[in-house]
């Protein structure tokens, strides 16, 4: 028995492989972002943890392309998992690179973020914020990074994360309204989520590359 396609976005009109061509092909933006991120990583000699982010970015492109073509539940898992891996990896990389913590403390970023994400989603519940799903904690996390760095006096990095949070906020809003604009705009807005997210992920890797190029006090 053929699995029914997951019809989650405006553009999909049937079970066909190319029923979401724009949503599918805009995943190329993630590969473009990965290319430029990798070029920065090689040029500036970023550590393995930053290189891992580039690998995950490629996985995001492939997973999302698979979901927007095959559109099955297993493909949905391929779409979501690399994104979650990127978020979890980044909340570990951030305290290591930007707060100069040893790895044994930096790893605590993972359970702390998971707990924070659960709390945020419980508070958000239904209503207008419900469509933001698991991504609202990521937005708030970027804002928190900006605030932390501003308090530490690292104004340039604080502004970088704040600006990235703004772009991600717009991206998340476009993802959230996709199902609400179908009547007037059948293409939907999910493709814009891909394009802006590619920019966001590149900016996150790019700032990590820049910070890694600076000496840190403790390589613990």
């Amino acid at each position: 028995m053929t699995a029914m396609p997951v019809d989650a976005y405006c553009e999909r009109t049937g079970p066909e492989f190319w029923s979401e061509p724009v949503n599918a092909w805009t995943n190329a933006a993630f590969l473009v972002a990965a290319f430029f991120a990798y070029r920065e990583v090689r040029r500036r000699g970023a550590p393995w943890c930053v290189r891992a982010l580039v690998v995950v970015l490629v996985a995001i492109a492939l997973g999302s392309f698979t979901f927007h073509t095959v559109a099955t539940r297993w493909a949905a898992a391929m779409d979501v998992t690399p994104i979650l891996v990127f978020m979890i990896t980044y909340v570990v990389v951030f305290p290591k690179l930007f707060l100069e913590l040893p790895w044994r403390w930096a790893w605590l970023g993972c359970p702390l973020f998971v707990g924070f994400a659960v709390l945020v989603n419980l508070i958000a519940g239904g209503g207008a914020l419900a469509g933001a799903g698991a991504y609202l904690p990521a937005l708030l996390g970027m804002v928190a990074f900006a605030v932390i760095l501003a308090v530490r006096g690292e104004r340039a990095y604080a502004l970088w994360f704040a600006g990235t949070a703004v772009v991600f906020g717009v991206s998340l809003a476009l993802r959230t309204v996709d199902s609400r604009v179908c009547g007037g705009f059948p293409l939907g807005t999910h493709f814009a989520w891909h394009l802006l997210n590619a920019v966001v992920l590149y900016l996150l890797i790019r700032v990590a590359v820049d910070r890694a190029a600076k000496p840190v006090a403790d390589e613990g």
Side-chain angles (χ1 to χ4, degrees), residues 131-191:
Y135 303 108
L136 184 57
L139 174 60
L140 297 177
M142 291 180 206
V143 174
F145 291 166
V147 171
I148 290 170
L149 292 170
V151 170
R152 286 170 57 90
E154 300 188 63
R155 184 171 180 272
Y157 287 137
L159 289 174
W160 188 287
F161 277 103
T164 304
V166 170
V167 177
F168 187 65
V170 174
S171 177
L172 187 55
L174 289 169
R175 179 186 187 276
T176 304
V177 303
D178 178 79
S179 61
R180 304 174 191 176
V181 301
C182 293
F185 189 54
L187 179 62
T189 56
H190 192 77
F191 73 93

Side-chain angles (χ1 to χ4, degrees), residues 1 12 19 31 39 58-59 78 95 102 148 209:
M1 184 176 179
R12 180 160 291 276
S19 190
L31 295 178
R39 192 171 68 171
V58 173
M78 287 187 63
I148 290 170
V209 170

Side-chain angles (χ1 to χ4, degrees), residues 66-91:
T66 300
F67 178 55
H68 289 293
T69 51
V70 178
T72 58
R73 294 191 181 280
W74 64 262
M78 287 187 63
D79 177 32
V80 173
T81 301
I83 299 172
L84 295 178
V85 170
F86 190 98
M87 289 192 289
I88 293 297
T89 303
Y90 208 91
V91 296

